Amino acid sequence: MLRKRLPYCVMAGVRFAIVALLVAYIFFNTAISSQAASNNELEVATQCSFIIPSDFVPGNESGLFINKNYPMESSSIKYSIYENGKDKVLTNREKKTLAANGSFLSVEDSINLTKDIYQSILAEAYEKAYGMDVGYKVTDFTTKDFDGFPGYKIMAEFNTDSNIMVYQTVYIILSKYKTFTISYQMAEDDECREMFDTSASTINVR
């Protein structure tokens, strides 16, 4: 079993980071750009907190927590905070770079994040990361309230190049100036779903 999972484990941190960044950029160019930049109804949030399960320890990048039994267990948690940058203007070079990476989506294309938009862009990103179609599929896409702040709960799955099913649950939380994302990821034989659910139930925004 260890031999089967090593290729995935070695690249998990890098590919997970790619996804975390894409989640933020997709959201910035859809809901964030259209809502946070022009919708004064969004409240100001200063922080988002939640409890990290005791089985997880800090990884090698900010906001990343990996299972203490890594690489035997490849589950991970990624927490990120993004400035909405409502006055930010991308240069043509930045736009070209993002487009080349398959992660640029203009506000004109869509003013709201949807299941189809999310799945399409993430599927393309994973195809680039793995060099193959991994069958990325959003299995549930739900709008959610977090202590009065709007957001999303998105569940997805895909098959790695080691033929291992990976399951993700991503929480995206909107505020006027910041976007918070919490991403839980596990392989099919990781035993941490209950821990993830318990952790997610502690999400607090203020």
Side-chain angles (χ1 to χ4, degrees), residues 4-5 7-9 12 15 74 126 130 132-136 157-167 185-188:
K4 176 183 177 183
R5 295 184 58 175
Y8 168 70
C9 294
R15 288 169 181 168
S74 59
Y126 270 110
Y130 281 94
M132 59 181 284
D133 181 1
V134 298
Y136 188 90
E157 61 185 34
F158 65 94
N159 199 329
T160 72
D161 48 2
S162 301
N163 199 30
I164 299 169
M165 286 299 297
V166 176
Y167 301 95
Q185 180 166 291
M186 58 179 284
E188 59 185 327

Side-chain angles (χ1 to χ4, degrees), residues 45-52 79-81 146-147 171 173 180-182 184 198-206:
T46 58
Q47 67 178 33
C48 172
S49 62
F50 63 103
I51 295 176
I52 300 293
Y79 173 59
S80 301
I81 305 174
F146 300 87
D147 298 310
Y171 295 88
I173 305 164
F180 306 95
T181 66
I182 303 169
Y184 299 92
T198 300
S199 173
S201 72
T202 68
I203 295 174
N204 177 262
V205 187
R206 60 180 180 176

Side-chain angles (χ1 to χ4, degrees), residues 10-195:
V10 170
M11 295 301 294
V14 175
R15 288 169 181 168
F16 195 89
I18 290 173
V19 172
L21 290 173
L22 281 171
V23 167
Y25 195 78
I26 292 167
F27 204 61
F28 174 81
N29 281 284
T30 52
I32 287 299
S33 289
S34 61
Q35 294 179 28
S38 60
N39 188 346
N40 292 324
E41 294 180 1
L42 285 175
E43 298 292 332
V44 175
T46 58
Q47 67 178 33
C48 172
S49 62
F50 63 103
I51 295 176
I52 300 293
S54 59
D55 281 10
F56 289 79
V57 297
N60 58 3
E61 64 179 80
S62 177
L64 177 65
F65 298 85
I66 60 175
N67 195 291
K68 64 183 181 182
N69 295 316
Y70 176 90
M72 292 296 294
E73 296 286 337
S74 59
S75 52
S76 59
I77 301 171
K78 183 70 169 70
Y79 173 59
S80 301
I81 305 174
Y82 303 94
E83 300 294 333
N84 293 338
K86 58 184 200 172
D87 295 323
K88 180 179 179 179
V89 177
L90 295 175
T91 66
N92 288 332
R93 182 177 181 179
E94 288 173 327
K95 290 180 180 180
K96 288 180 180 179
T97 300
L98 290 165
N101 290 333
S103 58
F104 181 74
L105 180 67
S106 68
V107 177
E108 290 76 12
D109 292 331
S110 175
I111 62 172
N112 290 298
L113 182 63
T114 67
K115 175 181 177 180
D116 289 342
I117 291 173
Y118 185 93
Q119 178 169 296
S120 176
I121 297 181
L122 268 292
E124 183 178 349
Y126 270 110
E127 184 173 349
K128 289 179 180 293
Y130 281 94
M132 59 181 284
D133 181 1
V134 298
Y136 188 90
K137 179 182 179 181
V138 173
T139 56
D140 188 67
F141 186 96
T142 309
T143 57
K144 188 175 175 62
D145 178 271
F146 300 87
D147 298 310
F149 295 89
Y152 298 88
K153 176 183 178 181
I154 305 169
M155 301 180 70
E157 61 185 34
F158 65 94
N159 199 329
T160 72
D161 48 2
S162 301
N163 199 30
I164 299 169
M165 286 299 297
V166 176
Y167 301 95
Q168 294 176 344
T169 301
V170 178
Y171 295 88
I172 303 176
I173 305 164
L174 277 172
S175 71
K176 190 169 185 177
Y177 301 118
K178 298 178 185 294
T179 298
F180 306 95
T181 66
I182 303 169
S183 305
Y184 299 92
Q185 180 166 291
M186 58 179 284
E188 59 185 327
D189 55 351
D190 289 334
E191 299 178 355
C192 55
R193 187 176 296 279
E194 185 175 344
M195 285 188 288

